[in-house]
Amino acid sequence: MGITVPTSVADCVSLGRAACEFALENPAVIVTLVLGLLIAVAASGYLLLLLVAHYPRPELPSEKLYLTILPSGETSAPLPLPSTTDYLPTTTTDKPTPPTDPLNPPVLISVIVPAYNESLRLPLMLSDAVTFLTTAFPPPPTSSTTTTPYGWEILIIDDGSTDSTSLTALTWARKNNHTNTPHSSIRTITLARNRGKGGAVTHGMRHLRGQHAIFADADGATKFADLTALLESLSTSSSDIAVGSRAHMLTTPAVVQRSKIRNLLMYTFHTYLSLMMAPLADIKDTQCGFKLFTRRAAAEIFPRMHNEGWIFDVEVLLLAKKLGYGIREVPVTWHEVEGTKMSLVRDSVMMAWDLAVLRGGYGVGMYGTGTGQQQGR
């Protein structure tokens, strides 16, 4: 029997009536077809999410090593990085068991600096950071044998740079290798392949020695003196995370005088974020690159990370909320620095896409709060 193709309006009307009659006479068939279609759409969406989900790659052996400047002024041989979990307390007290490695004593503050092709901007940032850190976190007395944490460390995570980022950091450290900069306080870690800002920060947070850890951008856009306010916000509350915020600067020249397209994208992103991530609605500035964590919070959050791009800050805060950590938002001083590696339009589109993937991944339970780094393939 051949198939009749409608050739007129009357034929189409007749075909529609026949379809309606069939639906009324066979509701079970229609329901089955609709359910089958919905299941197919859902399965296709889940498979698509599997394909585009973020799977961080495992650390390579060479990425578990660091270089530093020896007291003699020479560059060290590659040395093994410690693990953040080595410094977690083994009892109910908040005092960690000191590592047996004398090269890696615990410190008060760890600074994680993700750096991709930052040979030009890094020296100014290091100067500002070290000037503050040497005053706020002095080294232990020379004759001291106590295991109480003293001092600080800066971890420069060279994210597969094609310039002399690591060499620049080591050269700066050599020139400033004095008594206020204890041996091994400035360390460079080179990633074999570029992972993205989020991947670089995550790598550093997995290998720190500090009671607290802060990640800061290599451009020095935020003054390190503001670290005092972040630390105070934690000491006066039960929170474990303090995030720098530029929300108070929306009407200042630093923001108003930026290009119209940049501000338009900023406001569009904030609106999109509030729609996609309701749990973060109370945080006014998720993207400021100046965030402070207790050691415990860093050890629990960062091994669970999936995203390694610009949007990683959102996942950090989302995981913190899911794990029950309190977050304080603290105003900081910020100024725009030329030389950003971010492509305004391209990376804005990528951030929107990554945010949708994050929303989908956590929404369907694909990500959960398991260890993201162990899920990587």
Side-chain angles (χ1 to χ4, degrees), residues 44 102 143 217 258:
S44 299
S143 59
D217 292 339
R258 296 195 304 180

Side-chain angles (χ1 to χ4, degrees), residues 179-191:
T179 56
N180 288 332
T181 307
H183 165 55
S184 197
S185 288
I186 298 177
R187 302 178 171 191
T188 64
I189 300 98
T190 301
L191 303 185

Side-chain angles (χ1 to χ4, degrees), residues 18 28 42 58 62 93 95 98 145 171 186 197 223 282 294 316 322:
S62 65
T93 67
K95 294 182 179 180
T145 58
T171 300
I186 298 177
K197 180 181 178 181
K223 293 300 180 183
D282 59 325
T294 61
V316 168
K322 287 180 174 291

Side-chain angles (χ1 to χ4, degrees), residues 53-86:
H54 308 110
Y55 297 104
R57 65 171 173 81
E59 297 176 350
L60 301 176
S62 65
E63 297 172 342
K64 298 179 182 180
L65 304 173
Y66 72 91
L67 297 177
T68 190
I69 298 301
L70 301 173
S72 64
E74 298 296 322
T75 301
S76 70
L79 299 169
L81 283 166
S83 171
T84 302
T85 55
D86 293 342

Side-chain angles (χ1 to χ4, degrees), residues 30 156 159 185 235 239 241 326 349:
I30 300 302
I156 309 294
D159 192 18
S185 288
S235 66
S239 298
I241 301 169
V349 172

Side-chain angles (χ1 to χ4, degrees), residues 96-245:
T97 302
T100 56
D101 184 359
L103 292 178
N104 292 301
V107 296
L108 290 173
I109 188 77
S110 294
V111 179
I112 311 302
V113 182
Y116 177 69
N117 291 346
E118 291 289 359
S119 59
L120 295 179
R121 301 194 296 180
L122 194 56
L124 287 177
M125 178 268 173
L126 284 173
S127 180
D128 179 45
V130 171
T131 298
F132 171 79
L133 294 170
T134 52
T135 301
F137 306 99
T142 306
S143 59
S144 174
T145 58
T146 179
T147 58
T148 301
Y150 279 90
W152 50 272
E153 67 171 348
I154 297 177
L155 303 184
I156 309 294
I157 314 299
D158 184 342
D159 192 18
S161 297
T162 57
D163 70 353
S164 57
T165 291
S166 290
L167 179 61
T168 297
L170 291 171
T171 300
W172 190 95
R174 181 180 295 109
K175 290 180 179 178
N176 295 272
N177 190 19
H178 48 70
T179 56
N180 288 332
T181 307
H183 165 55
S184 197
S185 288
I186 298 177
R187 302 178 171 191
T188 64
I189 300 98
T190 301
L191 303 185
R193 298 191 303 273
N194 178 266
R195 301 186 69 157
K197 180 181 178 181
V201 170
T202 295
H203 188 81
M205 287 288 181
R206 291 165 63 89
H207 297 284
L208 56 86
R209 298 180 287 148
Q211 285 187 340
H212 290 85
I214 187 168
F215 68 80
D217 292 339
D219 60 5
T222 305
K223 293 300 180 183
F224 257 85
D226 286 333
L227 176 55
T228 300
L230 270 65
L231 287 166
E232 288 178 352
S233 74
L234 296 189
S235 66
T236 58
S237 70
S238 58
S239 298
D240 288 89
I241 301 169
V243 299
S245 176

